[in-house]
mmCIF file of all heavy atoms in Angstrom:
data_model
loop_
_atom_site.group_PDB
_atom_site.id
_atom_site.type_symbol
_atom_site.label_atom_id
_atom_site.label_comp_id
_atom_site.label_asym_id
_atom_site.label_seq_id
_atom_site.Cartn_x
_atom_site.Cartn_y
_atom_site.Cartn_z
ATOM 1 N N GLY A 1393 36.922 82.739 182.346
ATOM 2 C CA GLY A 1393 37.860 83.792 182.712
ATOM 3 C C GLY A 1393 37.450 85.200 182.335
ATOM 4 O O GLY A 1393 38.159 86.161 182.651
ATOM 5 N N GLY A 1394 36.331 85.343 181.653
ATOM 6 C CA GLY A 1394 35.880 86.683 181.305
ATOM 7 C C GLY A 1394 35.411 87.447 182.531
ATOM 8 O O GLY A 1394 35.296 86.903 183.632
ATOM 9 N N GLY A 1395 35.140 88.733 182.321
ATOM 10 C CA GLY A 1395 34.655 89.550 183.432
ATOM 11 C C GLY A 1395 34.756 91.020 183.130
ATOM 12 O O GLY A 1395 34.968 91.424 181.979
ATOM 13 N N LEU A 1396 34.600 91.801 184.176
ATOM 14 C CA LEU A 1396 34.666 93.265 184.089
ATOM 15 C C LEU A 1396 36.002 93.722 184.646
ATOM 16 O O LEU A 1396 36.390 93.320 185.750
ATOM 17 C CB LEU A 1396 33.514 93.875 184.882
ATOM 18 C CG LEU A 1396 33.505 95.406 185.042
ATOM 19 C CD1 LEU A 1396 33.349 96.076 183.692
ATOM 20 C CD2 LEU A 1396 32.391 95.821 186.006
ATOM 21 N N VAL A 1397 36.686 94.576 183.889
ATOM 22 C CA VAL A 1397 37.992 95.068 184.314
ATOM 23 C C VAL A 1397 38.128 96.521 183.878
ATOM 24 O O VAL A 1397 37.519 96.936 182.884
ATOM 25 C CB VAL A 1397 39.120 94.188 183.720
ATOM 26 C CG1 VAL A 1397 39.145 94.279 182.205
ATOM 27 C CG2 VAL A 1397 40.468 94.526 184.318
ATOM 28 N N GLN A 1398 38.906 97.280 184.626
ATOM 29 C CA GLN A 1398 39.144 98.668 184.247
ATOM 30 C C GLN A 1398 40.201 98.745 183.141
ATOM 31 O O GLN A 1398 41.050 97.852 182.999
ATOM 32 C CB GLN A 1398 39.626 99.463 185.463
ATOM 33 C CG GLN A 1398 38.536 99.734 186.484
ATOM 34 C CD GLN A 1398 38.987 100.699 187.565
ATOM 35 O OE1 GLN A 1398 40.165 100.766 187.897
ATOM 36 N NE2 GLN A 1398 38.039 101.449 188.118
ATOM 37 N N ALA A 1399 40.135 99.814 182.385
ATOM 38 C CA ALA A 1399 41.129 100.040 181.338
ATOM 39 C C ALA A 1399 42.533 100.001 181.946
ATOM 40 O O ALA A 1399 42.762 100.534 183.024
ATOM 41 C CB ALA A 1399 40.880 101.379 180.656
ATOM 42 N N GLY A 1400 43.436 99.336 181.233
ATOM 43 C CA GLY A 1400 44.792 99.151 181.727
ATOM 44 C C GLY A 1400 44.997 97.877 182.507
ATOM 45 O O GLY A 1400 46.135 97.498 182.802
ATOM 46 N N GLY A 1401 43.908 97.212 182.839
ATOM 47 C CA GLY A 1401 43.985 95.988 183.621
ATOM 48 C C GLY A 1401 44.256 94.765 182.756
ATOM 49 O O GLY A 1401 44.478 94.862 181.547
ATOM 50 N N SER A 1402 44.231 93.601 183.420
ATOM 51 C CA SER A 1402 44.539 92.337 182.751
ATOM 52 C C SER A 1402 43.482 91.280 183.060
ATOM 53 O O SER A 1402 42.845 91.311 184.119
ATOM 54 C CB SER A 1402 45.911 91.813 183.219
ATOM 55 O OG SER A 1402 46.946 92.700 182.874
ATOM 56 N N LEU A 1403 43.348 90.355 182.136
ATOM 57 C CA LEU A 1403 42.525 89.166 182.328
ATOM 58 C C LEU A 1403 43.213 88.020 181.613
ATOM 59 O O LEU A 1403 43.916 88.231 180.618
ATOM 60 C CB LEU A 1403 41.122 89.335 181.737
ATOM 61 C CG LEU A 1403 40.077 90.136 182.499
ATOM 62 C CD1 LEU A 1403 38.819 90.270 181.638
ATOM 63 C CD2 LEU A 1403 39.738 89.487 183.827
ATOM 64 N N ARG A 1404 42.968 86.803 182.094
ATOM 65 C CA ARG A 1404 43.435 85.628 181.373
ATOM 66 C C ARG A 1404 42.241 84.740 181.081
ATOM 67 O O ARG A 1404 41.561 84.273 182.013
ATOM 68 C CB ARG A 1404 44.480 84.839 182.154
ATOM 69 C CG ARG A 1404 45.081 83.724 181.306
ATOM 70 C CD ARG A 1404 46.204 82.965 182.001
ATOM 71 N NE ARG A 1404 45.712 81.979 182.936
ATOM 72 C CZ ARG A 1404 46.407 80.922 183.337
ATOM 73 N NH1 ARG A 1404 47.643 80.729 182.868
ATOM 74 N NH2 ARG A 1404 45.897 80.070 184.219
ATOM 75 N N LEU A 1405 42.000 84.513 179.817
ATOM 76 C CA LEU A 1405 40.950 83.606 179.395
ATOM 77 C C LEU A 1405 41.525 82.201 179.241
ATOM 78 O O LEU A 1405 42.669 82.039 178.809
ATOM 79 C CB LEU A 1405 40.340 84.039 178.069
ATOM 80 C CG LEU A 1405 39.782 85.465 178.006
ATOM 81 C CD1 LEU A 1405 39.137 85.702 176.641
ATOM 82 C CD2 LEU A 1405 38.797 85.722 179.121
ATOM 83 N N SER A 1406 40.713 81.225 179.584
ATOM 84 C CA SER A 1406 41.084 79.823 179.403
ATOM 85 C C SER A 1406 40.053 79.147 178.515
ATOM 86 O O SER A 1406 38.882 79.530 178.505
ATOM 87 C CB SER A 1406 41.138 79.094 180.751
ATOM 88 O OG SER A 1406 42.106 79.670 181.613
ATOM 89 N N CYS A 1407 40.499 78.134 177.804
ATOM 90 C CA CYS A 1407 39.598 77.368 176.940
ATOM 91 C C CYS A 1407 39.999 75.904 177.027
ATOM 92 O O CYS A 1407 41.121 75.539 176.657
ATOM 93 C CB CYS A 1407 39.694 77.868 175.509
ATOM 94 S SG CYS A 1407 38.840 76.824 174.313
ATOM 95 N N ALA A 1408 39.090 75.091 177.510
ATOM 96 C CA ALA A 1408 39.343 73.666 177.638
ATOM 97 C C ALA A 1408 38.567 72.901 176.565
ATOM 98 O O ALA A 1408 37.387 73.178 176.350
ATOM 99 C CB ALA A 1408 38.931 73.178 179.021
ATOM 100 N N ALA A 1409 39.226 71.976 175.918
ATOM 101 C CA ALA A 1409 38.583 71.147 174.895
ATOM 102 C C ALA A 1409 38.590 69.699 175.351
ATOM 103 O O ALA A 1409 39.593 69.212 175.887
ATOM 104 C CB ALA A 1409 39.300 71.284 173.564
ATOM 105 N N SER A 1410 37.477 69.013 175.146
ATOM 106 C CA SER A 1410 37.365 67.615 175.524
ATOM 107 C C SER A 1410 36.660 66.835 174.414
ATOM 108 O O SER A 1410 36.027 67.416 173.534
ATOM 109 C CB SER A 1410 36.593 67.473 176.834
ATOM 110 O OG SER A 1410 35.292 67.995 176.695
ATOM 111 N N GLY A 1411 36.787 65.517 174.467
ATOM 112 C CA GLY A 1411 36.146 64.672 173.469
ATOM 113 C C GLY A 1411 36.974 64.494 172.213
ATOM 114 O O GLY A 1411 36.518 63.857 171.251
ATOM 115 N N VAL A 1412 38.184 65.039 172.224
ATOM 116 C CA VAL A 1412 39.080 64.932 171.076
ATOM 117 C C VAL A 1412 40.499 65.051 171.611
ATOM 118 O O VAL A 1412 40.726 65.669 172.668
ATOM 119 C CB VAL A 1412 38.782 66.038 170.042
ATOM 120 C CG1 VAL A 1412 39.009 67.414 170.622
ATOM 121 C CG2 VAL A 1412 39.598 65.846 168.770
ATOM 122 N N THR A 1413 41.454 64.454 170.905
ATOM 123 C CA THR A 1413 42.847 64.569 171.328
ATOM 124 C C THR A 1413 43.305 66.012 171.173
ATOM 125 O O THR A 1413 43.385 66.535 170.058
ATOM 126 C CB THR A 1413 43.739 63.645 170.495
ATOM 127 O OG1 THR A 1413 43.276 62.293 170.648
ATOM 128 C CG2 THR A 1413 45.184 63.731 170.960
ATOM 129 N N PHE A 1414 43.573 66.663 172.298
ATOM 130 C CA PHE A 1414 43.838 68.095 172.275
ATOM 131 C C PHE A 1414 45.044 68.445 171.411
ATOM 132 O O PHE A 1414 45.037 69.456 170.723
ATOM 133 C CB PHE A 1414 44.047 68.598 173.703
ATOM 134 C CG PHE A 1414 44.159 70.091 173.798
ATOM 135 C CD1 PHE A 1414 43.037 70.900 173.662
ATOM 136 C CD2 PHE A 1414 45.388 70.699 174.022
ATOM 137 C CE1 PHE A 1414 43.130 72.285 173.747
ATOM 138 C CE2 PHE A 1414 45.497 72.075 174.107
ATOM 139 C CZ PHE A 1414 44.363 72.868 173.962
ATOM 140 N N SER A 1415 46.037 67.583 171.428
ATOM 141 C CA SER A 1415 47.248 67.877 170.666
ATOM 142 C C SER A 1415 47.038 67.766 169.155
ATOM 143 O O SER A 1415 47.943 68.086 168.387
ATOM 144 C CB SER A 1415 48.379 66.950 171.101
ATOM 145 O OG SER A 1415 48.016 65.597 170.900
ATOM 146 N N SER A 1416 45.848 67.342 168.728
ATOM 147 C CA SER A 1416 45.527 67.295 167.300
ATOM 148 C C SER A 1416 44.834 68.571 166.838
ATOM 149 O O SER A 1416 44.456 68.686 165.676
ATOM 150 C CB SER A 1416 44.631 66.097 166.982
ATOM 151 O OG SER A 1416 43.324 66.286 167.505
ATOM 152 N N LEU A 1417 44.663 69.522 167.754
ATOM 153 C CA LEU A 1417 43.888 70.725 167.480
ATOM 154 C C LEU A 1417 44.763 71.960 167.319
ATOM 155 O O LEU A 1417 45.600 72.246 168.175
ATOM 156 C CB LEU A 1417 42.904 70.991 168.618
ATOM 157 C CG LEU A 1417 41.878 69.930 168.929
ATOM 158 C CD1 LEU A 1417 41.092 70.314 170.179
ATOM 159 C CD2 LEU A 1417 40.942 69.719 167.753
ATOM 160 N N ALA A 1418 44.538 72.693 166.232
ATOM 161 C CA ALA A 1418 44.971 74.078 166.179
ATOM 162 C C ALA A 1418 43.869 74.894 166.849
ATOM 163 O O ALA A 1418 42.684 74.576 166.710
ATOM 164 C CB ALA A 1418 45.171 74.521 164.736
ATOM 165 N N MET A 1419 44.255 75.920 167.580
ATOM 166 C CA MET A 1419 43.284 76.666 168.375
ATOM 167 C C MET A 1419 43.308 78.146 168.032
ATOM 168 O O MET A 1419 44.345 78.681 167.600
ATOM 169 C CB MET A 1419 43.584 76.496 169.871
ATOM 170 C CG MET A 1419 43.600 75.062 170.356
ATOM 171 S SD MET A 1419 41.999 74.249 170.262
ATOM 172 C CE MET A 1419 41.084 75.202 171.479
ATOM 173 N N GLY A 1420 42.172 78.787 168.235
ATOM 174 C CA GLY A 1420 42.095 80.210 167.967
ATOM 175 C C GLY A 1420 41.171 80.921 168.923
ATOM 176 O O GLY A 1420 40.294 80.302 169.533
ATOM 177 N N TRP A 1421 41.401 82.210 169.059
ATOM 178 C CA TRP A 1421 40.516 83.087 169.807
ATOM 179 C C TRP A 1421 39.957 84.138 168.841
ATOM 180 O O TRP A 1421 40.709 84.711 168.033
ATOM 181 C CB TRP A 1421 41.256 83.792 170.940
ATOM 182 C CG TRP A 1421 41.569 82.938 172.124
ATOM 183 C CD1 TRP A 1421 42.747 82.310 172.406
ATOM 184 C CD2 TRP A 1421 40.685 82.617 173.204
ATOM 185 N NE1 TRP A 1421 42.652 81.623 173.585
ATOM 186 C CE2 TRP A 1421 41.389 81.792 174.091
ATOM 187 C CE3 TRP A 1421 39.354 82.944 173.502
ATOM 188 C CZ2 TRP A 1421 40.823 81.297 175.269
ATOM 189 C CZ3 TRP A 1421 38.800 82.438 174.664
ATOM 190 C CH2 TRP A 1421 39.518 81.618 175.534
ATOM 191 N N PHE A 1422 38.661 84.385 168.977
ATOM 192 C CA PHE A 1422 37.972 85.399 168.195
ATOM 193 C C PHE A 1422 37.131 86.231 169.154
ATOM 194 O O PHE A 1422 36.903 85.833 170.295
ATOM 195 C CB PHE A 1422 37.074 84.749 167.135
ATOM 196 C CG PHE A 1422 37.837 83.983 166.095
ATOM 197 C CD1 PHE A 1422 38.308 82.704 166.362
ATOM 198 C CD2 PHE A 1422 38.110 84.543 164.866
ATOM 199 C CE1 PHE A 1422 39.030 81.995 165.414
ATOM 200 C CE2 PHE A 1422 38.826 83.843 163.906
ATOM 201 C CZ PHE A 1422 39.289 82.571 164.182
ATOM 202 N N ARG A 1423 36.677 87.371 168.684
ATOM 203 C CA ARG A 1423 35.798 88.192 169.510
ATOM 204 C C ARG A 1423 34.742 88.865 168.636
ATOM 205 O O ARG A 1423 34.941 89.073 167.441
ATOM 206 C CB ARG A 1423 36.591 89.231 170.300
ATOM 207 C CG ARG A 1423 37.266 90.301 169.453
ATOM 208 C CD ARG A 1423 38.153 91.178 170.333
ATOM 209 N NE ARG A 1423 38.783 92.254 169.569
ATOM 210 C CZ ARG A 1423 39.688 93.083 170.070
ATOM 211 N NH1 ARG A 1423 40.081 92.974 171.356
ATOM 212 N NH2 ARG A 1423 40.202 94.048 169.313
ATOM 213 N N GLN A 1424 33.635 89.183 169.293
ATOM 214 C CA GLN A 1424 32.548 89.848 168.585
ATOM 215 C C GLN A 1424 31.933 90.890 169.501
ATOM 216 O O GLN A 1424 31.410 90.553 170.574
ATOM 217 C CB GLN A 1424 31.493 88.848 168.122
ATOM 218 C CG GLN A 1424 30.447 89.446 167.215
ATOM 219 C CD GLN A 1424 29.637 88.380 166.503
ATOM 220 O OE1 GLN A 1424 29.623 87.214 166.889
ATOM 221 N NE2 GLN A 1424 28.962 88.773 165.437
ATOM 222 N N ALA A 1425 32.007 92.132 169.062
ATOM 223 C CA ALA A 1425 31.383 93.235 169.791
ATOM 224 C C ALA A 1425 29.984 93.459 169.233
ATOM 225 O O ALA A 1425 29.697 93.080 168.087
ATOM 226 C CB ALA A 1425 32.227 94.496 169.648
ATOM 227 N N PRO A 1426 29.094 94.083 170.007
ATOM 228 C CA PRO A 1426 27.725 94.317 169.535
ATOM 229 C C PRO A 1426 27.708 95.077 168.218
ATOM 230 O O PRO A 1426 28.398 96.093 168.067
ATOM 231 C CB PRO A 1426 27.107 95.142 170.662
ATOM 232 C CG PRO A 1426 27.888 94.753 171.873
ATOM 233 C CD PRO A 1426 29.286 94.527 171.392
ATOM 234 N N GLY A 1427 26.953 94.558 167.254
ATOM 235 C CA GLY A 1427 26.819 95.215 165.971
ATOM 236 C C GLY A 1427 27.995 95.051 165.033
ATOM 237 O O GLY A 1427 28.018 95.641 163.951
ATOM 238 N N LYS A 1428 28.969 94.229 165.431
ATOM 239 C CA LYS A 1428 30.156 94.029 164.599
ATOM 240 C C LYS A 1428 30.304 92.557 164.246
ATOM 241 O O LYS A 1428 29.746 91.681 164.891
ATOM 242 C CB LYS A 1428 31.401 94.533 165.323
ATOM 243 C CG LYS A 1428 31.416 96.033 165.547
ATOM 244 C CD LYS A 1428 32.763 96.489 166.092
ATOM 245 C CE LYS A 1428 32.809 97.995 166.247
ATOM 246 N NZ LYS A 1428 34.132 98.449 166.758
ATOM 247 N N GLU A 1429 31.093 92.316 163.215
ATOM 248 C CA GLU A 1429 31.364 90.939 162.815
ATOM 249 C C GLU A 1429 32.393 90.314 163.767
ATOM 250 O O GLU A 1429 33.169 91.002 164.425
ATOM 251 C CB GLU A 1429 31.894 90.905 161.383
ATOM 252 C CG GLU A 1429 30.877 91.292 160.333
ATOM 253 C CD GLU A 1429 31.384 91.075 158.923
ATOM 254 O OE1 GLU A 1429 32.573 90.737 158.764
ATOM 255 O OE2 GLU A 1429 30.597 91.246 157.992
ATOM 256 N N ARG A 1430 32.379 88.985 163.777
ATOM 257 C CA ARG A 1430 33.377 88.268 164.572
ATOM 258 C C ARG A 1430 34.748 88.506 163.960
ATOM 259 O O ARG A 1430 34.918 88.404 162.746
ATOM 260 C CB ARG A 1430 33.042 86.780 164.589
ATOM 261 C CG ARG A 1430 33.839 85.985 165.582
ATOM 262 C CD ARG A 1430 33.253 84.598 165.770
ATOM 263 N NE ARG A 1430 31.901 84.657 166.313
ATOM 264 C CZ ARG A 1430 31.233 83.583 166.749
ATOM 265 N NH1 ARG A 1430 31.796 82.392 166.703
ATOM 266 N NH2 ARG A 1430 30.014 83.709 167.223
ATOM 267 N N GLU A 1431 35.723 88.816 164.796
ATOM 268 C CA GLU A 1431 37.050 89.108 164.292
ATOM 269 C C GLU A 1431 38.113 88.238 164.952
ATOM 270 O O GLU A 1431 37.983 87.837 166.108
ATOM 271 C CB GLU A 1431 37.402 90.590 164.502
ATOM 272 C CG GLU A 1431 37.542 91.032 165.930
ATOM 273 C CD GLU A 1431 38.092 92.437 166.065
ATOM 274 O OE1 GLU A 1431 38.497 93.052 165.055
ATOM 275 O OE2 GLU A 1431 38.136 92.936 167.208
ATOM 276 N N PHE A 1432 39.140 87.996 164.196
ATOM 277 C CA PHE A 1432 40.269 87.206 164.658
ATOM 278 C C PHE A 1432 41.043 87.948 165.738
ATOM 279 O O PHE A 1432 41.272 89.148 165.622
ATOM 280 C CB PHE A 1432 41.181 86.909 163.470
ATOM 281 C CG PHE A 1432 42.510 86.315 163.836
ATOM 282 C CD1 PHE A 1432 42.607 85.008 164.277
ATOM 283 C CD2 PHE A 1432 43.672 87.065 163.733
ATOM 284 C CE1 PHE A 1432 43.830 84.457 164.605
ATOM 285 C CE2 PHE A 1432 44.913 86.533 164.050
ATOM 286 C CZ PHE A 1432 44.987 85.221 164.494
ATOM 287 N N VAL A 1433 41.445 87.215 166.771
ATOM 288 C CA VAL A 1433 42.273 87.778 167.832
ATOM 289 C C VAL A 1433 43.648 87.114 167.844
ATOM 290 O O VAL A 1433 44.672 87.785 167.774
ATOM 291 C CB VAL A 1433 41.603 87.623 169.205
ATOM 292 C CG1 VAL A 1433 42.527 88.116 170.317
ATOM 293 C CG2 VAL A 1433 40.271 88.370 169.243
ATOM 294 N N ALA A 1434 43.672 85.788 167.929
ATOM 295 C CA ALA A 1434 44.951 85.083 168.013
ATOM 296 C C ALA A 1434 44.758 83.620 167.644
ATOM 297 O O ALA A 1434 43.658 83.082 167.776
ATOM 298 C CB ALA A 1434 45.545 85.190 169.412
ATOM 299 N N ALA A 1435 45.849 82.987 167.198
ATOM 300 C CA ALA A 1435 45.800 81.571 166.844
ATOM 301 C C ALA A 1435 47.117 80.911 167.227
ATOM 302 O O ALA A 1435 48.157 81.578 167.303
ATOM 303 C CB ALA A 1435 45.540 81.396 165.351
#
């Protein structure tokens, strides 16, 4: 779901997990910009 968008726009990212019971998983989103550490976005 990533891509290029103009400021003010919207995107929806999706994340599919397999090989494990999905309902047993807590999930999180993180991001990393060039030259920066990985940072928490949402959980």
Side-chain angles (χ1 to χ4, degrees):
L1396 173 64
V1397 64
Q1398 287 189 331
S1402 297
L1403 282 174
R1404 187 176 80 157
L1405 304 183
S1406 299
C1407 170
S1410 60
V1412 62
T1413 302
F1414 187 74
S1415 59
S1416 71
L1417 301 174
M1419 303 294 294
W1421 285 98
F1422 295 79
R1423 66 186 182 186
Q1424 188 166 17
K1428 294 188 177 181
E1429 292 187 354
R1430 191 167 297 190
E1431 66 171 353
F1432 169 72
V1433 176

